[in-house]
């Protein structure tokens, strides 16, 4: 079982914070990184952030840089997404997935997607 499990979504007012976690029950050793994506109703899935398992490399979408922070706990196969100063436009279902090959900001480059967790930000 390698499907990630995301928890931590919820309802928050604009300017608030949430912390998402993504745990993989079996570490995918061939995977270079884990990524967070989000999908708002009526929109395509978009890249949010990614982090390398074995190095300190991180990547962010311009829309969240400076507000979101991705981190990892390699001993517990868990990746976190700390979201601060949330905005209504951050409302979406947030997914994590394991990078397989290709561009780190591209959804088709990932596999083993979680079920997602809803984040709703009110104005």
């Amino acid at each position: 079982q390698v499907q990630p499990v995301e928890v931590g979504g919820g309802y928050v007012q604009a300017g608030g914070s949430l912390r998402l976690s993504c745990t993989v029950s079996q570490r995918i050793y061939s995977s270079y990184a884990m990524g967070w994506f989000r999908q708002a109703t009526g929109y395509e899935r978009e890249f949010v952030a990614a982090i390398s398992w074995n190095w300190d490399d991180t990547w962010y979408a311009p829309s969240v840089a400076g507000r979101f922070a991705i981190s990892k706990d390699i001993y517990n196969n868990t990746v976190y997404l700390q979201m601060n100063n949330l905005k209504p436009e951050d409302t979406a279902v947030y997914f994590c997935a394991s990078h397989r090959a290709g561009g780190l900001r591209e959804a088709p480059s990932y596999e083993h997607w979680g079920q997602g967790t809803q984040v709703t930000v009110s104005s």
Side-chain angles (χ1 to χ4, degrees):
Q1 178 66 30
V2 298
Q3 184 178 26
V5 177
E6 305 102 333
V7 297
Y11 182 94
V12 64
Q13 290 187 332
S17 299
L18 285 173
R19 189 192 195 204
L20 307 182
S21 66
C22 166
T23 300
V24 183
S25 60
Q26 176 181 329
R27 170 74 180 275
I28 305 171
Y29 290 96
S30 62
S31 173
Y32 171 68
M34 290 293 291
W36 284 98
F37 287 75
R38 65 188 182 187
Q39 187 166 18
T41 302
Y43 292 84
E44 293 186 352
R45 192 167 297 189
E46 67 172 359
F47 172 77
V48 176
I51 188 167
S52 168
W53 275 121
N54 297 323
W55 290 272
D56 293 331
D57 297 328
T58 58
W59 299 263
Y60 294 95
S63 60
V64 306
R67 299 188 298 122
F68 291 12
I70 190 170
S71 61
K72 63 189 176 184
D73 178 352
I74 62 174
Y75 300 105
N76 291 299
N77 297 339
T78 299
V79 174
Y80 302 97
L81 185 68
Q82 177 66 44
M83 306 185 295
N84 300 323
N85 191 21
L86 282 160
K87 304 175 181 181
E89 52 263 43
D90 294 318
T91 295
V93 177
Y94 284 70
F95 301 88
C96 66
S98 175
H99 180 260
R100 176 184 57 203
L104 279 159
R105 299 172 185 270
E106 308 298 326
S109 300
Y110 288 78
E111 60 184 353
H112 303 305
W113 292 84
Q115 294 296 314
T117 184
Q118 176 71 46
V119 172
T120 303
V121 185
S122 65
S123 58

